[in-house]
Amino acid sequence: MPKFYFQLLDGDGVGATETGYEFASIEAAKAEARRVLAEMAAEGLPAEPLNMLSVELFDESRRPLAEIRLILEEIPK
């Protein structure tokens, strides 16, 4: 099975995983990225200045494949 790597962006900054995780497909790896993002949001919604949480997915060669983001937007009324 191919290995995938994740890079997380939250209020503490960017954190890349040095451990590769095996998934049967890129779709399975994306599903895991979404699950991780949901866990991050459960610990606290994004705050300024970025107002964003992000999980970036990389292949075995560390080439970026996808980025899953949660953006908190305030809309004045």
Side-chain angles (χ1 to χ4, degrees):
M1 280 197 284
K3 283 189 179 181
F4 297 90
Y5 295 84
F6 298 97
Q7 179 171 293
L8 313 178
L9 171 67
D10 62 12
D12 296 329
V14 176
T17 59
E18 295 302 319
T19 305
Y21 297 92
E22 292 184 346
F23 293 98
S25 67
I26 188 172
E27 293 308 318
K30 286 180 185 179
E32 178 65 9
R34 287 183 185 93
R35 189 193 67 71
V36 168
L37 185 62
E39 276 186 14
M40 291 167 61
E43 293 176 9
L45 290 175
E48 291 186 354
L50 295 179
N51 289 331
M52 179 184 74
L53 300 174
S54 170
V55 178
E56 194 168 3
L57 179 63
F58 297 85
D59 68 8
E60 288 181 342
S61 300
R62 306 289 176 111
R63 288 182 301 222
L65 299 172
E67 184 175 0
I68 312 297
R69 289 182 178 176
L70 175 66
I71 298 171
L72 183 64
E73 183 177 9
E74 180 180 323
I75 302 170
K77 298 285 182 168

